[in-house]
Amino acid sequence: MARKFLYAVAILIMLGVASLFTYRLYGIQLMRQFMVPGGEVADLPAMSARDYARAEMWIARPDKPGNPALWTPAGQSATPAPRAALFFIHPTSFLDTRQWNAPLDNPDANARAELFLRGQASAFNASAAIWAPRYRQATFGAFLTSKAQAQQALNLAYRDVAAAFEEFLHEAGDRPLILAGHSQGALHLSRLLAERIAGTPVARRIVAAYVVGWPVSLTADLPKMGLPACTGPDQPGCILSWQSFASPADPALILDTFDATNGYTGKSRAGTPMLCINPLTGKPGGSAPASANLGALIPDANLQSARLEAGRVPARCEGRGILTIGAAPPDFSQYVLPGNNYHVFDYSLFWANVRADAARRLAAYKQ
């Protein structure tokens, strides 16, 4: 590929503000200082499903030339006419500090979003035709502050996602549905499940919902999200979620923010267990050795592409519901967040297992 692969994004986010040594010591403080916008959230017009009838409003859709979600590593291929339809919400790719929400035509944010689709949404292209909308995402700095503007920016982004989802339902017809997102995209997906899907006929069409890289409280969130947690690898109509850390894991930065909020039930999330579906087994909790990993997506030395390597990364759910991967894998260790957080690689570490998981659940749904 001409552009640098997904992992280059991690460098821009995590190493751009300081040297690696300084980042290790003061990363969060520096990011808060330099990456949180000032000023107010722009009063932007609302989007409607009709806006998303235009092809240019989508980063990926089945009829889009050069669809980035169709990328595959060597030895894998996308299915030409898959049975299911996937709605994928990409993670934060907008790093601007001058405004709270990304313009839809921002070339840097759109290019990074395409990279994320190659490394994440591509895991599903053997099972589903993929739709991934452009949306006026909240900037990266919105996740580093408790300012009211941050929530306003996230609300605006969510409204775009909800409008895109209505058009997606129209485009998908009567096909089985897979829903997936990562980080900010997973946050919007969890809200979409709670506010738009729970208790509707759409819920019965869902093969699986992958709410990855965002915490889901088993007691304060899940009861209002319309689908149960997955209990087995062949179960359709359920939710998967995990957050990846190497040992020793320190999720304090996530838990401190998580515990200060209320869930979709209105109850506090403080101290509650989080959903952790082990991506190597498709079941909640438990441990799986590296030999169960069908293939992690490993970047090449020039960050131009990636290859699959099986048997590299184990996984174990522990504590309140974080996923630990053992000792830091050497091909990824320089791009981690504080606390040994492998957030950027939540899909990549288990790419082939996610691919197999979606295929199994789709087969079970068809039955």
Side-chain angles (χ1 to χ4, degrees):
M1 289 178 290
R3 294 191 184 98
K4 289 186 177 181
F5 198 69
L6 163 67
Y7 308 96
V9 178
I11 299 173
L12 291 171
I13 294 175
M14 289 178 277
L15 303 183
V17 296
S19 69
L20 179 59
F21 175 75
T22 305
Y23 171 75
R24 294 293 189 190
L25 295 179
Y26 307 112
I28 291 298
Q29 295 93 324
L30 285 168
M31 287 193 290
R32 284 175 176 154
Q33 180 178 352
F34 292 111
M35 302 196 76
V36 176
E40 301 301 317
V41 177
D43 185 17
L44 300 172
M47 291 286 183
S48 69
R50 194 168 185 176
D51 291 309
Y52 281 94
R54 307 198 312 270
E56 63 267 24
M57 293 295 289
W58 299 85
I59 304 171
R61 51 182 282 162
D63 59 352
K64 185 179 180 68
N67 186 343
L70 295 180
W71 178 88
T72 56
Q76 303 289 326
S77 60
T79 299
R83 172 87 164 84
L86 170 73
F87 186 70
F88 185 86
I89 313 169
H90 70 76
T92 307
S93 63
F94 185 57
L95 311 179
D96 200 301
T97 60
R98 295 167 296 178
Q99 51 192 322
W100 287 94
N101 290 92
L104 290 171
D105 60 355
N106 183 279
D108 292 335
N110 289 337
R112 294 184 193 111
E114 289 189 8
L115 295 177
F116 280 122
L117 262 63
R118 290 189 180 99
Q120 297 178 344
S122 61
F124 300 96
N125 63 28
S127 296
I130 299 172
W131 280 260
R134 303 190 192 281
Y135 67 100
R136 292 171 293 186
Q137 60 184 285
T139 191
F140 180 77
F143 295 93
L144 303 174
T145 180
S146 59
K147 288 182 178 181
Q149 293 94 323
Q151 187 57 54
Q152 292 168 12
L154 287 166
N155 288 343
L156 189 151
Y158 170 74
R159 289 193 294 270
D160 283 2
V161 168
F165 184 68
E166 295 305 317
E167 178 60 22
F168 164 74
L169 290 177
H170 172 73
E171 297 277 356
D174 60 356
R175 281 184 274 193
L177 308 177
I178 301 174
L179 310 179
H182 183 250
S183 194
Q184 179 173 170
L187 167 63
H188 297 317
L189 176 55
S190 68
R191 185 173 173 183
L192 195 71
L193 285 161
E195 296 185 5
R196 169 61 182 85
I197 296 170
T200 72
V202 174
R204 295 194 292 272
R205 298 174 53 195
I206 294 176
V207 173
Y210 295 81
V211 185
V212 178
W214 195 264
V216 175
S217 168
L218 291 177
T219 57
D221 291 317
L222 192 63
K224 289 292 186 180
M225 290 172 66
L227 298 173
C230 293
T231 58
D234 301 308
Q235 176 188 358
C238 58
I239 298 174
L240 301 89
S241 182
W242 64 86
Q243 302 169 89
S244 308
F245 287 78
S247 299
D250 181 8
L253 290 172
I254 290 174
L255 295 179
D256 289 349
T257 301
F258 182 69
D259 286 347
T261 60
N262 292 333
Y264 298 120
T265 65
K267 297 178 181 178
S268 172
R269 292 173 171 135
T272 61
M274 298 176 292
L275 179 60
C276 181
I277 303 298
N278 190 320
L280 297 185
T281 66
K283 299 186 291 187
S287 177
S291 59
N293 192 316
L294 302 177
L297 207 55
I298 309 293
D300 66 17
N302 297 318
L303 301 177
Q304 296 295 311
S305 189
R307 68 188 187 279
L308 278 182
E309 284 195 16
R312 288 288 303 273
V313 181
R316 180 178 73 254
C317 291
E318 63 179 33
R320 284 177 57 186
I322 64 168
L323 186 76
T324 58
I325 60 171
D331 295 303
F332 301 97
S333 58
Q334 61 181 316
Y335 306 130
V336 298
L337 287 164
N340 274 335
N341 187 347
Y342 277 64
H343 177 75
V344 174
F345 311 110
D346 283 322
Y347 277 99
S348 303
L349 290 166
F350 314 105
W351 190 92
N353 289 81
V354 173
R355 194 171 185 80
D357 186 272
R360 281 196 313 270
R361 296 186 195 280
L362 178 58
Y365 176 89
K366 291 177 181 177
Q367 294 176 2

